Amino acid sequence: MAFDIEMIKKVYGNFSSRVNAARTVTGKPLTLTEKILYAHLWNGDPATAYTRGKDYVDFAPDRVAMQDATAQMALLQFMQSGRDKVAVPSTVHCDHLIEAKDNSKVDLARAVSESSEVYDFLASVSEKYGIGFWKPGAGIIHQVVLENYAFPGGMMIGTDSHTVNAGGLGMVAIGVGGADACDVMAGLPWELKMPKLIGVKLTGKLNGWTAPKDVILKVAGILTVKGGTGAIVEYFGEGATSMSCTGKGTICNMGAEIGATTSTFGYDESMSRYLKATGREEIAAMADQIAQHLTGDPEVYANPEQYFDQVIEIDLNTLEPHLNGPFTPDLATPISKMKEVAVANDWPLKVEVGLIGSCTNSSYEDISRAVSLAKQVKEKGLKLNSEFTITPGSEQVRYTIERDGYLDTFNNIGATVFANACGPCIGMWARVGAEKKERNTIVHSFNRNFAKRADGNPNTLAFVASPELVTALAIAGRLDFNPITDKLTNDKGEEVMLDAPTGYELPPKGFAVDDPGYQAPSADGSKVQVKVSPTSQRLQLLEPFAAWEGTDLKGLKLLIKAKGKCTTDHISMAGPWLKFRGHLDNISNNMLIGAVNFFNEKTDSVKNQLTGEYGPVPATQRAYKAAGIGTLVVGDENYGEGSSREHAAMEPRHLGVRAVLVKSFARIHETNLKKQGMLALTFDNKADYDKIMEDDTIDIIGLTSFAPDTKLTLVLNHSDGTKDHILVNHTYNDQQIEWFKAGGALNIIRREFENNK
């Protein structure tokens, strides 16, 4: 389906002149990333060459996408902006609130019943403000965006970290918090520090058991979960052009797991084929007209070391299938090494469940390659030795694979097909027995595998792999099975091997769908009433946060000193808490309950300095708030890694946390804290982390002269009467300092709108 053709025509109409102007001001050939960024400057034609990793730049994204869990808070904020319609094409996608339990039909009906209040709110607010609405069951946001909205050379933002999936169609697509989305929907520029560039040269061609997923699993092993922070990853080379469009999407999708701002590929024939197959021939024709500008300049790819800040080269001819995990997506193990690595680490070898699909790997190609293995179960006298589930990415994919008999193949071997939704990938999985917290192994084709993420069990070891490898391991039932070399015993006692997977890039009979699940907004939404019950437990209208007092912050108490990995899942869990994503006070009861307290190695157990007793983090913070005492949260490296959920920033803000001090931040979370009027600080000397004591009272000095590139001082007043003075850094520019002073960016937006009435 083709949307917003006139907007795309406008983007393409300006593209060539802006790229040429960018070449002039930079005085060099350009990467694809630079072309898209310079073509989307807020002020129009480029007049300045920006410094990567240093300059903040205002951009004009083409569109905004929101999933239902994050859209609630984003739109509650937008409702405060004073606008009567969104300024750019925007969409809402209902994919997060559907729990995987029984099967697609039962689970969807239950979700529509249980979350009707939220769905009605999202549908009505979308209708009122000119936003496209994708109903429950329509599909996962990123798959639906790829099928309907993504276009080569475009720029979009989305309130989900895996918005980056659209890089598979040559976009610069970036995950943000709801406040950023609110800005763009309100017609304001979107600010981003000019990213550094990482080039990944792909040589050779994928073959046999190796899939696009293995490219990003390999890259994650190289760069780690923070190696891409502040950078855009651009893939190029013969290996890139030989890959399918949806395969490229998979690689870009998991770029979020290396902390990258986004990832992208140059426009090529695979993208053209995909656009045409999804009913967007007109967009393909327009892209063909400026194809030379929709990829990096030849000089760049011929000598990448001169144009990228870092270059990685991967030979697809020799790339092995990988399994990444457990507990982190960057622990990469080639399948040939898994036997010895699993034994050495005492990982449970029995695979309890194999799960394929999700926004990362739910294309027709992914499913068809998995089906080629599922067919071999009966053909070779085998059986599934693990539970096996399939999560289609969209109704279009589900309808097409049902038409082509793929769902029958899965059903015939005992698999379960879940709804077109996020499901187990985000913890919306009613897994039987998870409450026993037994140590076990699962394998999936999702993107994240943090502890407790999929099923709430901290002892579930989750490994990430391609759908093909997951299917093979579910058939074998063992983590140490290597389908390239190992045999299986069939029902006749014969030893057989699985044939390498095969599939179709696109459906031979074309895509088909009866009802894609789209609801267009009203042409005039002025009379549409958005209702939020004052007694609702799931929705709550927002009150503006208070402005800064104008003084240094003194007498803060330490709330928690988090130890080790502290992702947004640790700060604001998903799963059963998703139901409260539209109610800030209720969801704040999960604040930091997953973070490990440095001082007692426990989760959700911190010392209340007012009573001397230990208790849950949210309850302790509420006690401080009731007493009018601000607090400080201290964290480790890459704090706020993972999902873009701004609840991880809004909850501390709502409950009275004043500052977050860490060794380093993940990009989106740092921005979310700034947008909400919080202080996001980093240790000038990371060793000072060890100076923070459990009973500390902290002063933050220097705020009355708060300025860019100027350090602040923290005074640590220890309980024994001694003090430590430490320096802390920040990355606030002048505009972001105004956000802090105003109590949040939204306060400024609303004030400016009221002043301009």
Side-chain angles (χ1 to χ4, degrees):
M1 195 181 302
F3 292 88
D4 309 309
I5 291 294
E6 292 307 313
M7 177 269 285
I8 297 172
K9 285 181 179 177
K10 183 178 179 181
V11 172
Y12 282 173
N14 294 324
F15 211 89
S16 297
S17 63
R18 291 186 175 179
V19 168
N20 289 330
R23 281 202 197 92
T24 299
V25 298
T26 61
K28 65 179 183 62
L30 300 176
T31 64
L32 167 66
T33 302
E34 290 170 315
K35 291 179 182 181
I36 298 175
L37 293 176
Y38 278 104
H40 285 84
L41 296 177
W42 178 257
N43 291 325
D45 288 348
T48 303
Y50 295 103
T51 303
R52 300 175 195 165
K54 181 179 179 181
D55 292 337
Y56 282 95
V57 184
D58 284 342
F59 291 102
D62 301 314
R63 64 177 316 108
V64 174
M66 298 164 281
Q67 41 94 335
D68 50 357
T70 52
Q72 295 172 62
M73 199 57 68
L75 292 174
L76 285 166
Q77 291 178 87
F78 179 76
M79 289 169 65
Q80 288 192 319
S81 72
R83 273 61 170 178
D84 56 9
K85 189 174 183 179
V86 292
V88 301
S90 304
T91 52
V92 168
H93 305 258
C94 296
D95 60 1
H96 271 58
L97 301 178
I98 303 169
E99 184 181 47
K101 183 177 182 181
D102 299 304
N103 58 57
S104 57
K105 185 175 181 180
V106 172
D107 293 346
L108 179 58
R110 184 175 60 252
V112 169
S113 173
E114 292 179 351
S115 296
S116 59
E117 180 184 14
V118 172
Y119 292 143
D120 289 347
F121 164 72
L122 292 174
S124 63
V125 76
S126 295
E127 185 177 8
K128 182 174 183 64
Y129 293 108
I131 300 168
F133 180 72
W134 291 82
K135 304 173 187 176
I140 305 173
I141 176 173
H142 313 302
Q143 181 70 26
V144 173
V145 165
L146 198 71
E147 292 173 357
N148 296 279
Y149 297 110
F151 66 96
M155 173 185 265
M156 67 175 286
I157 61 170
T159 60
D160 189 286
S161 57
H162 293 110
T163 298
V164 295
N165 188 83
L169 246 177
M171 293 195 86
V172 163
I174 301 174
V176 299
D180 278 350
C182 181
D183 283 359
V184 175
M185 290 189 293
L188 300 175
W190 176 63
E191 181 189 71
L192 178 72
K193 184 179 284 188
M194 197 66 170
K196 293 186 177 181
L197 299 179
I198 298 174
V200 180
K201 182 178 182 180
L202 302 178
T203 62
K205 188 176 182 179
L206 295 170
N207 60 87
W209 283 89
T210 310
K213 183 81 160 199
D214 298 304
V215 175
I216 186 57
L217 295 180
K218 175 73 171 178
V219 170
I222 295 170
L223 289 176
T224 77
V225 291
K226 59 179 292 188
T229 303
I232 291 180
V233 182
E234 183 171 325
Y235 292 84
F236 62 94
E238 61 179 346
T241 55
S242 68
M243 207 178 294
S244 69
C245 175
T246 52
K248 294 176 173 70
T250 289
I251 292 170
C252 292
N253 183 299
M254 266 197 73
E257 274 51 75
I258 58 173
T261 302
T262 191
S263 305
T264 194
F265 285 78
Y267 179 63
D268 61 16
E269 281 299 314
S270 72
M271 295 184 192
S272 177
R273 291 192 296 270
Y274 187 75
L275 286 169
K276 294 170 183 174
T278 50
R280 293 175 286 174
E281 297 88 347
E282 186 176 357
I283 298 174
M286 288 192 288
D288 289 341
Q289 293 297 311
I290 60 167
Q292 71 200 66
H293 298 306
L294 298 177
T295 189
D297 287 334
E299 300 93 328
V300 170
Y301 295 157
N303 298 285
E305 289 79 6
Q306 296 179 24
Y307 301 97
F308 292 96
D309 298 290
Q310 181 179 355
V311 177
I312 297 169
E313 186 168 336
I314 297 174
D315 180 4
L316 302 186
N317 290 329
T318 59
L319 180 65
E320 276 193 72
H322 276 62
L323 274 167
N324 283 29
F327 304 130
T328 185
D330 60 347
L331 182 57
T333 305
I335 190 64
S336 63
K337 302 290 185 183
M338 182 52 76
K339 285 185 176 69
E340 59 185 272
V341 174
V343 171
N345 287 280
D346 192 30
W347 293 334
L349 296 181
K350 177 174 169 50
V351 173
E352 301 291 343
V353 192
L355 308 98
I356 66 170
S358 86
C359 69
T360 331
N361 280 107
S362 56
S363 67
Y364 187 90
E365 180 180 43
D366 289 326
I367 300 299
S368 68
R369 285 173 63 85
V371 161
S372 74
L373 295 168
K375 287 179 178 178
Q376 295 179 50
V377 172
K378 290 209 168 182
E379 292 171 355
K380 299 192 175 187
L382 300 168
K383 65 173 183 175
L384 279 178
N385 281 288
S386 306
E387 291 182 46
F388 189 51
T389 72
I390 298 92
T391 303
S394 70
E395 176 58 13
Q396 179 167 266
V397 166
R398 189 213 63 80
Y399 189 97
T400 305
I401 63 175
E402 181 179 45
R403 178 203 66 189
D404 293 349
Y406 292 172
L407 292 187
D408 287 340
T409 299
F410 287 133
N411 289 328
N412 289 339
I413 65 170
T416 299
V417 179
F418 287 137
N420 313 323
C422 300
C425 183
I426 60 162
M428 290 296 281
W429 181 22
R431 185 183 179 191
V432 176
E435 71 283 354
K436 299 176 184 177
K437 297 187 177 180
E438 295 174 341
R439 195 163 183 261
N440 74 104
T441 289
I442 65 173
V443 292
H444 61 58
S445 68
F446 308 156
N447 38 43
R448 292 194 175 129
N449 57 349
F450 304 140
K452 302 173 72 172
R453 181 174 173 89
D455 61 3
N457 177 5
N459 299 312
T460 293
L461 283 69
F463 293 84
V464 182
S466 68
E468 301 93 311
L469 189 55
V470 170
T471 305
L473 295 179
I475 294 170
R478 290 183 63 84
L479 184 67
D480 58 355
F481 175 69
N482 182 353
I484 301 172
T485 59
D486 296 351
K487 296 180 179 179
L488 298 168
T489 302
N490 68 11
D491 55 10
K492 296 179 182 178
E494 301 167 335
E495 288 193 333
V496 297
M497 291 188 71
L498 293 173
D499 298 327
T502 58
Y504 298 96
E505 176 185 347
L506 296 163
K509 299 178 184 177
F511 283 109
V513 66
D514 184 14
D515 176 11
Y518 176 70
Q519 175 181 302
S522 294
D524 178 10
S526 60
K527 293 182 174 58
V528 176
Q529 186 72 30
V530 178
K531 295 182 180 180
V532 177
S533 169
T535 60
S536 172
Q537 294 301 300
R538 297 194 62 173
L539 294 165
Q540 179 188 47
L541 294 176
L542 295 175
E543 294 292 333
F545 290 131
W548 172 56
E549 305 93 318
T551 63
D552 288 336
L553 300 180
K554 296 184 177 181
L556 305 181
K557 298 296 185 182
L558 176 70
L559 175 62
I560 186 173
K561 178 177 173 179
K563 180 180 179 180
K565 187 182 283 284
C566 192
T567 71
T568 49
D569 278 305
H570 296 86
I571 304 168
S572 176
M573 289 183 178
W577 290 94
L578 282 173
K579 67 172 68 77
F580 299 122
R581 283 285 182 85
H583 197 294
L584 182 55
D585 193 58
N586 282 346
I587 199 169
S588 293
N589 289 321
N590 78 359
M591 185 189 75
L592 285 159
I593 63 176
V596 176
N597 183 356
F598 177 90
F599 297 106
N600 61 11
E601 301 281 339
K602 295 180 180 180
T603 58
D604 202 22
S605 175
V606 295
K607 188 174 183 178
N608 182 336
Q609 292 190 43
L610 303 179
T611 65
E613 299 177 352
Y614 286 84
V617 183
T620 303
Q621 179 57 40
R622 286 184 187 275
Y624 287 133
K625 182 179 182 180
I629 297 172
T631 59
L632 175 78
V633 169
V634 174
D636 214 315
E637 296 280 8
N638 208 29
Y639 184 87
E641 167 192 346
S643 168
S644 70
R645 67 192 66 155
E646 66 181 336
H647 299 77
M650 295 187 76
E651 292 172 31
R653 181 73 167 100
H654 172 65
L655 293 184
V657 176
R658 301 302 303 269
V660 179
L661 171 63
V662 301
K663 293 181 181 178
S664 64
F665 281 108
R667 176 190 62 85
I668 299 176
H669 187 62
E670 181 181 21
T671 300
N672 285 345
L673 289 168
K674 291 178 178 181
K675 283 278 185 177
Q676 300 304 333
M678 294 275 284
L679 281 174
L681 309 172
T682 56
F683 290 99
D684 184 56
N685 179 359
K686 292 182 180 181
D688 287 342
Y689 172 89
D690 298 325
K691 294 180 179 178
I692 308 290
M693 298 291 108
E694 189 171 32
D695 293 308
D696 280 353
T697 298
I698 301 111
D699 303 328
I700 302 177
I701 309 300
L703 291 175
T704 54
S705 55
F706 196 11
D709 303 316
T710 302
K711 301 179 194 300
L712 299 173
T713 299
L714 258 66
V715 181
L716 308 177
N717 301 286
H718 303 306
S719 59
D720 63 1
T722 62
K723 299 176 184 284
D724 273 307
H725 291 73
I726 64 173
L727 293 176
V728 296
N729 301 318
H730 67 83
T731 60
Y732 288 76
N733 60 22
D734 288 326
Q735 176 177 274
Q736 293 166 350
I737 289 172
E738 291 306 310
W739 299 344
F740 167 74
K741 291 179 177 179
L746 185 57
N747 289 348
I748 294 177
I749 295 174
R750 184 173 51 254
R751 185 175 66 205
E752 290 177 349
F753 178 79
E754 291 172 351
N755 290 340
N756 292 329
K757 276 185 178 179

